Structures are given as structure tokens and as C-alpha cells.
Amino acid sequence: MRGLDGEADGSRHDGDSGIDSGDAGGGDRYGTGRRRRGSTAKAASITAAAGLVAVGLSMAACSTGGTGSRDEGAAATKEVAAAAPTPSASPGAGQRSAERVDPIALLKGDPKIGERLKTDLKPCVADAYPVDTSYGNLTNAAAPDVVVNVMTCGDAVGIGTYVYRKQSDRYENVFMAEDAAVYGTIDRGELVVTKQVYAKGDPVAYPSGEDVITYRWSGNAFTQHDWVHNDYSRAVDEGPAVTEPAPSEPPTR
């Protein structure tokens, strides 16, 4: 809340098919039952010797002087490498630069947020507010959308999730969820809101489950697309043994 190309052992191996197995000592190479004549073998030996002499003369010619064919080949390789264009990285089609905003100013200037939350929104230490801010594409606006999560200072438990969409020269509140233990994230163009579910007697650190709700932008508002409920195990994390809560009802679409 991320050797399939190898050939089998039966693949072809040159020289291992058994065609030349009878050739040792001038034997039956082609399976005709006849041996090659001695004159043929002698002529083949003379031809091979002449070939070796020609190869030796060629190598000696290449080693003398400093302008042999090898020098020309190396120069051509360098020229091709120098002429090759250097690839440049280009931004993706959906990549946009995030215009940073002041989340505290957004919250305190939002007429949809109650005065009590605005009054309680204070720094935890020095000027550090308990606020997380995310940028991404949720509403296909010209500028990235902004998701702001407000938490408590002591336990970092979410108490409010807000989504802002830029309209002309200002940001407008297009979604808000003010519940205990709520947190919103951006996942591949969708808004995913997680709400912790507490049974009677659950401490803050050990909720009994969670609701995960997915929203999509439709027209000019978010609509619910999916809902998942998860019950947590009581046998891990040394959580207190309490009565499991009744399954929560899916939120109204």
C-alpha cells in the first residue's frame, strides 16, 4: 500500500552431428563404403601448405609499415563513434512540474473548513506543522492537484484529507474527508482514502481494520470507484486482544 532464452540441451552443435566421424585416416566420409585415393589426399595436403604460405606472406605485409589496413579500420571506427549523436532525455507526455503551494495558507483560507480545525492547526515543533502534502494529476487540470493530510502531533493520526484543484489563479477545495484516522494518497491518477476502523477498547496504535476507498474524477466532482475492507490479525504486533468489530458498511456512493 510490486533464463528463458537459453536453448535446450538438444540444440544444434556444429561438428557434432556425426557426419565426419568416419574421416579419420582417410576413411568413409560420405557413407559410400569407399576410401579416398592416395593422390587425392596428397593433392589436398599440397593445397593446404600453399594456403598457409599465402597467409604468412599476408600477415608479414600487414605488420610492416604504419599505414596498414588495420590502421584504416581503427580510424573509421573512431570517426563513426564521433559522428554518432548523443541521446537526450525527454520528459514524459504526462510529466508536469509541481507548483509548490503553502498548505497551511490553503487550509486556513478555505471557507469549507470549520473554524475549530483552523484554530487547532498549530506547529508541533517550532514552525513544523503536522501536515503532509502531495502533488499529482487527479482532475486533469492545467496544474497539478494538491492533496493535504492533517494529522495529530503526538500520534501522527490523520484527522482530515483535502484535495485542491487550481481554477484560474486560485485553488478550490474539491474533496474533503474529516474523520478519525483518515489519510489520502494519489495512486495512478486516482484518489485513495484509507480510514482506520476501531472497535471498542482499541488503542490508537492498534486499529481492528481499515476501509480503503478509491475515487475518480468525473465531470466536476469525485465519485467512488472501489471499496475494500481489511480486518487486521490480533495475533501479530502484540496488540491487545479485543472483540472484533462488526464489518463496516460500504460508504454511500
Side-chain angles (χ1 to χ4, degrees):
M1 67 113 345
R2 316 75 133 182
L4 299 177
D5 297 331
E7 295 182 353
D9 292 339
S11 58
R12 179 174 62 84
H13 295 279
D14 295 339
D16 195 30
S17 61
I19 294 177
D20 297 333
S21 60
D23 193 34
D28 182 12
R29 178 172 181 174
Y30 300 103
T32 61
R34 295 178 295 179
R35 292 179 179 273
R36 292 183 295 174
R37 298 176 61 181
S39 60
T40 303
K42 182 177 181 180
S45 176
I46 294 173
T47 303
L52 291 174
V53 172
V55 172
L57 292 175
S58 176
M59 293 180 63
C62 290
S63 62
T64 59
T67 58
S69 60
R70 288 180 298 172
D71 293 339
E72 294 177 357
T77 302
K78 292 180 179 179
E79 291 175 1
V80 172
T86 303
S88 58
S90 58
Q95 182 177 348
R96 295 179 297 177
S97 60
E99 177 186 348
R100 295 296 188 267
V101 300
D102 183 353
I104 306 304
L106 281 181
L107 295 171
K108 292 192 173 182
D110 189 348
K112 296 182 180 180
I113 297 180
E115 291 299 324
R116 180 176 179 179
L117 186 141
K118 295 179 181 179
T119 302
D120 293 340
L121 184 59
K122 298 177 180 179
C124 297
V125 178
D127 58 348
Y129 284 83
V131 170
D132 287 346
T133 309
S134 301
Y135 301 86
N137 179 24
L138 287 172
T139 68
N140 294 321
D145 302 299
V146 184
V147 178
V148 182
N149 287 283
V150 181
M151 300 165 290
T152 61
C153 286
D155 302 313
V157 175
I159 57 177
T161 294
Y162 309 90
V163 179
Y164 293 92
R165 182 175 191 260
K166 191 170 186 179
Q167 301 275 41
S168 298
D169 58 346
R170 60 185 297 272
Y171 282 89
E172 177 185 355
N173 184 334
V174 293
F175 179 90
M176 58 187 298
E178 293 179 322
D179 298 303
V182 63
Y183 198 91
T185 59
I186 300 173
D187 185 6
R188 291 168 291 186
E190 297 178 332
L191 174 64
V192 180
V193 178
T194 302
K195 298 179 180 180
Q196 303 295 331
V197 177
Y198 292 89
K200 184 177 181 180
D202 279 350
V204 174
Y206 295 99
S208 294
E210 67 176 5
D211 290 328
V212 182
I213 310 166
T214 303
Y215 297 91
R216 287 180 178 175
W217 183 257
S218 178
N220 57 357
F222 283 100
T223 59
Q224 181 182 326
H225 172 67
D226 193 26
W227 170 83
V228 176
H229 175 79
N230 299 313
D231 284 327
Y232 297 151
S233 172
R234 311 307 297 177
V236 296
D237 294 335
E238 299 181 358
V242 297
T243 304
E244 294 286 347
S248 59
E249 295 295 330
T252 304
R253 292 180 181 273

